[in-house]
Amino acid sequence: MKTKVYVTGVSRGLGKAVAEKFLHEGYSVIGIGRTSDIHHENYTFQACDLSVSSDLKNIQFDAESEEIILINNAGQIGHLQRISDQKEPDFEEVLRVNTLAPMYLSWTCLNQAKGAVKIANISSGAATRAIPGWAAYCASKAALDRFSETLQLEESEKGRDVRIWSVAPGVIDTAMQEKIRAASPANFSSLDTFLDLKKNDELTSPEAASDKLFRLIVHAEINRVVCSLREIE
Ligand SMILES: NC(=O)c1ccc[n+]([C@@H]2O[C@H](COP(=O)([O-])OP(=O)(O)OC[C@H]3O[C@@H](n4cnc5c(N)ncnc54)[C@H](OP(=O)(O)O)[C@@H]3O)[C@@H](O)[C@H]2O)c1
């Protein structure tokens, strides 16, 4: 296949499921992250701590591919505590992983690619909604949305075959949700909402979310840049 798929944050959760989905569909996948236990003949792994700029600079894209798909999935929720209560503020690490790494990898990819490019940045409903206890996370995803929209306008002005999405995946049953549910009620006023979502079995599985993400990217099911997997049936 002439497409190469790059996915960040493949150790678990949505990133692992989406890497496995593309492998299952016959694509060549390159995982990028700190660890990975995926084994497949069409899979390679590039070790990278996305918060470390020298690691990011080592990531290269296959310029000769007819098409490159980049899925900036890796993310961190941060401390789950009001900013003014944090002993060490979380915003530097959160912004590095959630915002600067996708920006840097998008730049590298668009600079190196000679063929078509599709970039899916994994955003969040928190990009458009202020949630106390998640200030850095909300800011990081809001910035990702605006960056993605601007990048799409820029590449369209240049007439390039580039599609960008900043997609909220819905509430997915992953380690990130476990961390959210383990927050202290004194620090996180929305805790009951997330406990109830789990209790009422309202979380999406990583596999169901990755099926939708695959359809979004491969079949370009949504035209807008900022979107949600909830829009896909
Ligand atoms: N779960 C939800 O309900 C939900 C809702 C909205 C948006 N999202 C977004 O969906 C994406 C995936 O989330 P998830 O729920 O699958 O989270 P997760 O289970 O916590 O997985 C996060 C992934 O990001 C990687 N990562 C974190 N920091 C990294 C770093 N410095 N360098 C390299 N990799 C790093 C982790 O790798 P390590 O094993 O190395 O830590 C892991 O593979 C995130 O962008 C998240 O913000 C999730």
Side-chain angles (χ1 to χ4, degrees), residues 8-15 32-35 48-51 72-76 93 97-98 122-125 137 141 168-177 180:
T8 69
V10 283
S11 66
R12 58 173 188 263
L14 179 61
I32 300 169
R34 293 188 287 208
T35 60
C48 174
D49 183 332
L50 294 162
S51 66
N72 282 308
N73 160 80
Q76 293 191 12
E93 173 86 0
V97 176
N98 295 6
I122 306 303
S123 183
S124 167
Y137 185 75
K141 297 296 189 178
V171 185
I172 315 168
D173 203 358
T174 66
M176 185 175 282
Q177 284 295 322
I180 291 167

Side-chain angles (χ1 to χ4, degrees), residues 3 19 33 42 60 77 87 111 122 125 175 199 210 215 223 227:
T3 300
N42 294 329
Q60 301 290 310
I77 188 74
K87 287 203 172 68
N111 242 252
I122 306 303
K199 196 171 72 187
S210 64
R215 284 172 48 198
N223 274 325
C227 61

Side-chain angles (χ1 to χ4, degrees), residues 186-203:
N187 293 334
F188 182 47
S189 52
S190 303
L191 178 60
D192 283 346
T193 305
F194 288 89
L195 292 174
D196 286 349
L197 284 171
K198 178 67 174 174
K199 196 171 72 187
N200 300 331
D201 210 15
E202 290 179 64
L203 278 73

